[in-house]
Structures are given as C-alpha cells and as structure tokens.
Amino acid sequence: KRRCFMGIGRKKAMVTGECVACGCCEGKCPLNAVEVYKGVIAKVDTGRCVGCGRCADHCPAQVIFICGQEAVS
C-alpha cells in the first residue's frame, strides 16, 4: 500500500494526475466518497473520506494515495 503523511489531520485519499478513470475504485468506498468525474479522473469527496484505503487498494494504476495521519492527543 502506498501511503503519504503530510502533517497532522484526518486521513484522506488523494488521486494524482495520472489517473486513467478506469473506475476500479468506484463502489469500493463504504462511504461513497470516490467517483469518476466526467470520465476523466477519479475525485474524492474529502468530507466523506475517512482514509480507509479501499479505493487505493483497487487502483490498478496505483495513483490513489492515503494522506494525513491521526491527530495525536
């Protein structure tokens, strides 16, 4: 699994510009936070995304990353 950590905050998925809009990630998110936008690129609703990584796990192009980390209390 690819993961990137960019500061403290809630985890979320990020799609890079190399997305080929294959749709393999759609329907894998339990919160429906990922959709292919206009047949061009997968987009993540960061308000819904909890960073579970299911979309990234199903991306054959490996262009979806989980960014952020849990806040330390």
Side-chain angles (χ1 to χ4, degrees), residues 31-63:
L31 300 174
N32 296 318
V34 182
E35 69 174 324
V36 174
Y37 180 73
K38 294 187 177 182
V40 177
I41 191 168
K43 292 189 87 173
V44 177
D45 179 340
T46 56
R48 289 184 181 179
C49 179
V50 295
C52 72
R54 290 183 187 160
C55 57
D57 290 342
H58 287 88
C59 179
Q62 298 181 335
V63 297

Side-chain angles (χ1 to χ4, degrees), residues 19-28 36 42 58:
C19 174
V20 296
C22 67
C24 290
C25 58
E26 275 189 305
K28 304 303 181 204
V36 174
H58 287 88

Side-chain angles (χ1 to χ4, degrees), residues 3-10 12 14 65-69:
R3 303 261 192 245
C4 59
F5 295 92
M6 299 169 44
I8 293 177
R10 197 169 59 106
K12 65 179 182 175
M14 178 186 81
F65 301 91
I66 306 302
C67 296
Q69 61 188 14

